[in-house]
Amino acid sequence: MVRVILPFHLRTLAKVDREVLVDVPGAVSVASVLEAVERSYPVLRGTIREHDTLKRRAFLRFFAAGEDISFDAADAELPASIASGQEPLMVVGAIAGG
Amino acid sequence: MSRVRVLVGTRKGAFVCTADGDRRDWKIEGPHFGGWEIYHMKASPVDPNRIFASQSSSWFGQMIQRSDDGGLTWDTPGSGPEELSAGDEMPQGESNKFTYDGTTGSHRWYDGTPHPWEFKRVWHLEPSLSDPDSVYAGVEDAALFQSKDAGRTWSELSGLRTHATGQDWQPGAGGMCLHTILIDPADEKRIWVAISAAGCFRSGDGGLTWKATNKGLVSEFMPSPEAEVGHCVHRIAFHPSKPETLYMQKHWDVMRSDDGGDHWYEVSGNLPSDFGFPIDVHAHEPETVYVVPILSDSLHYVPEGKLRVYRSKTGGNEWEPLTKGLPQENCYTNILRDAMCVDSLDDCGVYFGTTGGQVYCSPDGGDHWSAIAEHLPAVLSVEVQTLN
């Protein structure tokens, strides 16, 4: 199972705890993990990536194994530590405020 | 005994306020959707316990929420426990999918160059007057959408966006938003919408085709002040029994039409400023109108530090300030376009919310005011339901 950490507002929306576990068939990439997240939590469709283009929403970033992978190809394979569930894929919202 | 339910959308969540017909003792529930912008909430007139809410965020985009129990519990349409267990292949996760129909095309950007239409958020939800599953959504960038399945899926009524003038529409400072939807109770296919900064449009066929209805509007900031489109209409309103008489708060000028929008004339009269956002009509007196003037488009707060609602009992031109119970010094707040409404009790209640987080109620048509809430986040919208 792949572990995914969602930002506060998406956890509230999906009514889940800090971390969700998803079964990802085949190669583990940002695209396949998000597909699995959206399958399990349909309410999140359109909130992390746009509906039709599947483009990452501008104020969100993806981190894996300590690296910002937001600009990598969405179908690039994620590190083994993410695929094995040793570490989580993190979806992080931009920090803003005064 | 009758009671009222006030739906308050704010920058940081939704609040549901209830009171009996006296409208003096209020119970406030919320915040629902804490931390999210709630641009608008409105209930179905057919099923008063069905409330639609527009929830949005710059981070996560648009959500549509629906309550079927008067605001106690909420779900994104299509994902409620009963709907998920129904197993009838209902769409899931599409209640926030607003996709423009066909070729998107472009409108005019701030600098005059063509700019592609981009969906940003839902500004206004207008439930059908006869079908609890049908609801319109006015969105930014300006377009009209409709759901016929209680918010689960949305389709654009693209005849508006593809109007011959669409390529000339331009955003105002707040974005290019479709913020007002009025439905004629006598003929539900007759619909008016208002767009900043394009103007007012009318459909006679349920939203398939549209006519620009801006004759008489004069906007000095435009190269052609009397052009067919480009006017920054802030809000329009009518009395349901008299839909031919429309009132408008424009960027500057309070306007009136007596022919369903075909021609407009100014009724700003003795207002201290004819700039403002909201406008509404008394529930039982079609010629009694309310506005809340603010100083100017550069100074988005009320004049002289005094929060004054202005009432005209003559359909415009002659206005009187309503001040009892409202702050009359050191007040520098604004009242946004969807943040004023009236109930249908006798006396008519008038409500408005401020960017300072206050929600006020007058249970006697504006003569006396008191605060329902004083320390909410900035108020974006206020709607009221009269419940029996």
Side-chain angles (χ1 to χ4, degrees):
Chain A
M1 299 289 269
V2 175
R3 299 160 55 198
V4 182
I5 293 182
L6 298 169
F8 170 82
H9 285 303
L10 295 188
R11 297 199 301 270
T12 309
L13 201 57
K15 299 171 183 167
V16 296
D17 293 329
R18 183 163 182 266
E19 194 170 291
V20 297
L21 294 174
V22 286
D23 187 16
V24 181
V28 175
S29 63
V30 165
S32 64
V33 171
L34 293 181
E35 176 68 35
V37 168
E38 291 170 358
R39 198 165 43 244
S40 299
Y41 306 99
V43 69
L44 297 181
R45 286 189 187 147
T47 63
I48 301 171
R49 49 187 190 165
E50 291 169 6
H51 270 289
D52 290 325
T53 64
L54 301 183
K55 241 174 76 180
R56 172 179 54 85
R57 291 191 59 82
F59 290 177
L60 296 182
R61 289 288 180 95
F62 306 135
F63 286 82
E67 297 288 329
D68 182 352
I69 57 165
S70 306
F71 295 94
D72 293 359
D75 57 358
E77 211 157 312
L78 291 174
S81 60
I82 303 290
S84 66
Q86 189 187 333
E87 292 185 87
L89 173 69
M90 299 178 73
V91 178
V92 179
I95 304 299
Chain B
M1 185 184 187
S2 295
R3 57 198 175 90
V4 293
R5 183 192 290 139
V6 179
L7 309 172
V8 182
T10 79
R11 288 264 181 231
K12 295 291 178 187
F15 298 84
V16 178
C17 313
T18 49
D20 63 23
D22 289 339
R23 294 159 287 181
R24 303 206 181 275
D25 297 318
W26 292 91
K27 179 183 174 191
I28 302 174
E29 292 178 350
H32 301 283
F33 327 116
W36 291 73
E37 291 185 313
I38 307 300
Y39 264 65
H40 194 222
M41 292 191 289
K42 194 158 187 179
S44 164
V46 188
D47 176 1
N49 278 333
R50 170 162 285 182
I51 305 171
F52 297 95
S54 168
Q55 171 190 12
S56 70
S57 146
S58 298
W59 284 258
F60 312 113
Q62 178 67 46
M63 305 301 301
I64 294 293
Q65 296 276 356
R66 194 186 77 212
S67 173
D68 287 329
D69 57 10
L72 298 176
T73 61
W74 297 83
D75 277 300
T76 52
S79 68
E82 288 176 14
E83 291 167 307
L84 286 176
S85 63
D88 59 355
E89 297 184 3
M90 284 180 185
Q92 295 176 21
E94 294 199 345
S95 60
N96 63 344
K97 187 176 179 182
F98 289 83
T99 305
Y100 293 117
D101 182 37
T103 307
T104 307
S106 61
H107 60 83
R108 196 176 292 176
W109 195 232
Y110 292 100
D111 60 4
T113 59
H115 190 83
W117 245 270
E118 294 170 330
F119 172 80
K120 295 185 181 65
R121 60 176 59 82
V122 172
W123 277 67
H124 186 93
L125 292 161
E126 192 65 36
S128 158
L129 303 179
S130 58
D131 177 1
D133 287 343
S134 180
V135 54
Y136 294 101
V139 314
E140 176 188 356
D141 285 340
L144 184 66
F145 282 77
Q146 184 179 26
S147 172
K148 294 181 176 177
D149 54 11
R152 292 185 197 104
T153 59
W154 295 85
S155 307
E156 188 194 5
L157 291 161
S158 57
L160 177 63
R161 182 175 50 83
T162 58
H163 188 269
T165 62
Q167 62 191 352
D168 298 324
W169 301 356
Q170 214 166 354
M176 197 172 81
C177 52
L178 194 165
H179 50 70
T180 307
I181 304 168
L182 300 178
I183 306 171
D184 185 345
D187 175 6
E188 284 198 52
K189 289 190 179 297
R190 203 147 180 262
I191 305 168
W192 291 262
V193 300
I195 297 169
S196 292
C200 187
F201 296 82
R202 187 183 67 218
S203 173
D205 56 12
L208 299 178
T209 60
W210 294 85
K211 178 187 178 189
T213 50
N214 300 305
K215 278 182 190 157
L217 304 186
V218 181
S219 299
E220 297 295 346
F221 62 83
M222 288 162 44
S224 305
E226 298 178 44
E228 184 183 17
V229 297
H231 304 276
C232 194
V233 177
H234 284 181
R235 178 80 174 158
I236 56 173
F238 64 18
H239 189 277
S241 72
K242 208 176 166 187
E244 293 306 309
T245 301
L246 291 164
Y247 297 96
M248 174 191 293
Q249 173 68 68
K250 195 162 67 66
H251 192 82
W252 291 101
D253 304 334
V254 177
M255 308 294 292
R256 172 178 173 140
S257 170
D258 293 316
D259 53 12
D262 285 336
H263 302 86
W264 295 89
Y265 59 96
E266 188 174 0
V267 292
S268 305
N270 62 335
L271 286 170
S273 162
D274 58 14
F275 191 94
F277 288 99
I279 188 164
D280 215 337
V281 182
H282 191 286
H284 312 301
E285 300 169 13
E287 296 289 312
T288 297
V289 191
Y290 301 89
V291 294
V292 188
I294 60 173
L295 210 42
S296 72
D297 48 3
S298 299
L299 300 168
H300 277 196
Y301 49 75
V302 294
E304 302 174 58
K306 299 176 180 180
L307 182 52
R308 292 169 292 191
V309 175
Y310 277 75
R311 177 175 64 194
S312 170
K313 291 190 169 185
T314 55
N317 282 323
E318 298 162 29
W319 300 88
E320 58 175 326
L322 307 172
T323 61
K324 287 179 185 168
L326 298 176
Q328 295 305 298
E329 58 180 4
N330 302 320
C331 180
Y332 293 94
T333 194
N334 188 9
I335 294 81
L336 300 178
R337 69 190 84 222
D338 239 347
M340 179 182 249
C341 59
V342 297
D343 68 32
S344 57
L345 291 175
D346 190 13
D347 283 343
C348 171
V350 187
Y351 305 77
F352 71 93
T354 77
T355 54
Q358 298 87 30
V359 180
Y360 290 100
C361 166
S362 168
D364 54 10
D367 291 337
H368 301 86
W369 298 86
S370 59
I372 297 175
E374 293 184 275
H375 306 292
L376 301 184
V379 175
L380 300 175
S381 63
V382 180
E383 293 284 354
V384 62
Q385 296 177 262
T386 308
L387 306 169
N388 295 313

